[in-house]
Amino acid sequence: MPTTPSPAPLTARHDADLPACLARSAAVRDIGARTSLDAFTGWWTRRSRAHRFRVERIPFHGMDAWSFHPGTGNLAHRSGRFFSVEGLHVRGGEQPFPEWQQPIIHQPEIGILGILAKKFDGVLHFLMQAKMEPGNINLVQLSPTVQATRSNYTKVHGGAAVKYLEYFTQPRRATVVVDVLQSEHGAWFHRKFNRNIVVETDEDVPLDDDFRWLTLGQIGELMHRDNLVNMDARTVLACLPTPFDEPAALHSDAELLSWYAAERSRHSVQARRVPLAGIPGWTTGAESIAHHADRYFRVVAVRVEASNREVAAWTQPLIEPCGRGITAFLTRRIGGVPHLLAHGRVEGGFLDTIELGPTVQYTPRNYAHLTGPARPRFLDLVLEAAPDRIRYAAVHSEEGGRFLHAQARYLFVEADESQAPNDPPPGYRWCTPGQLTQLLRYGRYVNVQARTLLSLLTTRAVEL
């Protein structure tokens, strides 16, 4: 009987040259790269058309193997695997929403988000995949080498094996560049983590048609295109130990960690899973679970066909946001050093009450009815930013395996001291990019939206 692959400890790379190696890869855009960006664009067009993809909405009763539990109303797969949609009751949140209930995805298993790296002519390249996800607005996006839940890579679905998985499960195939558990969306997942891992190999790697080797600099260039580099790739790239030239910071590392511990302590958040049936403010219909004010998100069902996936057809629930988000870091040079204004965010699905997020992380439609002090801090500053203050802006998709057409406009916005003072409001703290990157060596410090913005710095898509 064949053995089931499982996560394994890998050999760590001990290389003093690694920061310089990453910087060299980030500097290479075309000359010295395995594939030119023009060639990539042609390949991308061909791969997007090479397979048959179809996603259609269906009523809940049209799903195969999914059903509402007669007692709890929870929506789950008959195998007991993959994930379920349940209720969540949160107390102790910040104003204007100190308490609420909502549907939440419960997926306790830990997946692998892995990127395989290899040097070609002395330049580190990363093996990226053209991958279809049912929730992507354009279906195919650039993904990590391996992007798989445990249910998928242990083949609960009975489908094909995950390509290149062996480099992340067999200790002698590669050495670790980075390997850390990171959280996913705390507003939509309950305590969900994935293993974010980059490994380097010196083996000859057979190249599948849906994969291409790219440098960090090329991925950074592609980050300027809307809805191209997917969330799973962005979170992994953010974790790379990229060096930043920062001779000083407004707050020392010890002061930042002390502030963070105090922020966790001052929030007393209680979040518990409850039955989905009957949660206040939400209605389950034939085709969706929706909020009575048509805000936040809906739970819907889809039927999917994808000829190049491990399983060619399936049905599943997805979370569909009610509007496009705005996600931004305010940035200032303090003492000549770039700083980012981080927000200690409370989200119901976090394990540790808060994680550091961007300055602004909201869906404006959900707050359009609020005025004055009830408006989220800094939201209007970002929405009304003059073009010469915007250092970067692009639309990126959130996780396409669980969310339907979830997008946010990601920005770096330059502020002045009158708009964002050195002593910001409670819950906010100035950090350098290097300080945040250091925290990414550990899980549960920096949220997935902030990691997208940090990935723009590690790939040098943005220079502050």
Side-chain angles (χ1 to χ4, degrees):
M1 179 179 294
T3 58
T4 299
S6 60
L10 304 175
T11 303
R13 171 176 172 164
H14 299 287
D15 187 352
D17 185 50
L18 179 58
C21 184
L22 293 171
R24 188 159 53 248
S25 182
V28 172
R29 264 38 178 196
D30 262 333
I31 298 176
R34 189 76 170 173
T35 303
S36 71
L37 285 175
D38 283 344
F40 168 86
T41 299
W43 168 81
W44 185 258
T45 300
R46 293 191 300 273
R47 298 326 298 166
S48 298
R49 297 172 179 172
H51 304 287
R52 181 172 179 268
F53 302 126
R54 183 181 180 187
V55 178
E56 62 174 331
R57 294 171 186 257
I58 59 174
F60 288 128
H61 69 75
M63 288 193 295
D64 300 324
W66 292 85
S67 62
F68 291 97
H69 188 276
T72 63
N74 294 344
L75 182 56
H77 194 267
R78 69 184 175 199
S79 68
R81 302 292 297 274
F82 302 109
F83 64 95
S84 59
V85 181
E86 305 179 8
L88 188 72
H89 187 178
V90 182
R91 289 192 180 96
E94 296 181 302
Q95 295 294 341
F97 305 112
E99 182 176 359
W100 72 91
Q101 295 191 44
Q102 64 167 91
I104 197 87
I105 295 175
H106 180 54
Q107 186 175 344
E109 61 186 33
I110 293 174
I112 293 177
L113 305 179
I115 298 179
L116 182 62
K118 178 179 169 66
K119 283 183 181 176
F120 294 95
D121 298 324
V123 177
L124 198 62
H125 287 63
F126 299 83
L127 187 60
M128 308 300 290
Q129 177 184 180
K131 185 177 180 68
M132 179 272 189
E133 291 288 354
N136 290 340
I137 196 163
N138 51 354
L139 292 181
V140 180
Q141 295 189 10
L142 195 65
S143 307
T145 318
V146 168
Q147 176 185 321
T149 66
R150 182 169 179 82
S151 290
N152 284 339
Y153 68 73
T154 57
K155 298 192 283 187
V156 171
H157 49 48
V162 174
K163 294 171 183 175
Y164 303 108
L165 179 65
E166 63 273 14
Y167 290 97
F168 303 91
T169 58
Q170 297 179 13
R172 288 176 292 278
R173 300 297 294 270
T175 57
V176 171
V177 176
V178 65
D179 191 354
V180 61
L181 294 180
Q182 297 289 5
S183 64
E184 296 227 7
H185 294 72
W188 296 333
F189 279 113
H190 183 259
R191 300 182 177 181
K192 175 71 173 70
F193 293 88
N194 275 320
R195 191 178 178 192
N196 288 229
I197 179 170
V198 178
V199 299
E200 183 180 355
T201 187
D202 57 6
E203 294 183 6
D204 291 330
V205 180
L207 190 63
D208 184 271
D209 289 342
D210 286 329
F211 294 76
R212 276 297 180 272
W213 293 103
L214 299 171
T215 68
L216 269 187
Q218 290 179 313
I219 298 170
E221 285 291 317
L222 297 174
M223 292 274 205
H224 289 273
R225 304 185 191 181
D226 290 352
N227 292 313
L228 179 57
V229 181
N230 85 346
M231 186 215 78
D232 300 290
R234 300 190 308 262
T235 179
V236 177
L237 294 167
C239 297
L240 288 170
T242 304
F244 292 93
D245 183 15
E246 298 172 350
L250 180 61
H251 303 288
S252 70
D253 293 350
E255 289 169 339
L256 177 59
L257 288 170
S258 178
W259 170 84
Y260 186 73
E263 279 296 296
R264 276 186 172 171
S265 300
R266 81 178 179 90
H267 292 286
S268 179
V269 177
Q270 300 167 356
R272 62 186 180 91
R273 288 156 48 210
V274 297
L276 180 62
I279 56 174
W282 295 81
T283 301
T284 299
E287 297 186 353
S288 70
I289 303 169
H291 190 262
H292 63 79
D294 195 28
R295 296 191 190 118
Y296 313 120
F297 61 87
R298 293 175 286 269
V299 181
V300 299
V302 295
R303 177 178 288 111
V304 185
E305 296 178 13
S307 60
N308 69 334
R309 288 291 298 263
E310 292 85 3
V311 173
W314 71 93
T315 61
Q316 68 170 94
L318 290 172
I319 281 183
E320 179 185 35
C322 296
R324 194 172 76 177
I326 291 287
T327 304
F329 265 128
L330 293 184
T331 180
R332 282 181 50 212
R333 295 187 78 87
I334 302 174
V337 176
H339 282 68
L340 305 171
L341 186 58
H343 180 201
R345 286 186 56 86
V346 173
E347 296 184 8
F350 286 155
L351 178 61
D352 287 322
T353 307
I354 69 163
E355 291 189 12
L356 292 178
T359 322
V360 167
Q361 181 190 314
Y362 303 105
T363 299
R365 171 179 167 173
N366 295 337
Y367 300 87
H369 61 296
L370 301 178
T371 59
R375 292 279 292 170
R377 292 185 187 274
F378 303 111
L379 174 59
D380 293 326
L381 175 62
V382 170
L383 290 174
E384 297 165 6
D388 63 350
R389 292 280 190 172
I390 298 174
R391 294 290 169 259
Y392 171 90
V395 175
H396 292 297
S397 296
E398 306 303 335
E399 211 280 314
R402 298 292 177 265
F403 313 138
L404 180 63
H405 298 175
Q407 303 174 88
R409 188 171 185 242
Y410 280 85
L411 305 100
F412 284 95
V413 177
E414 185 178 347
D416 58 40
E417 190 170 358
S418 68
Q419 297 167 320
N422 286 6
D423 186 15
Y428 295 83
R429 197 72 162 179
W430 288 105
C431 316
T432 67
Q435 286 177 317
L436 289 174
T437 301
Q438 279 289 101
L439 290 176
L440 283 174
R441 294 170 59 189
Y442 315 98
R444 310 204 305 269
Y445 276 95
V446 181
N447 81 352
V448 69
Q449 288 87 351
R451 296 199 300 272
T452 277
L453 288 165
L454 290 173
S455 74
L456 299 165
L457 303 180
T458 58
T459 60
R460 297 294 191 259
V462 178
E463 297 278 1
L464 299 178

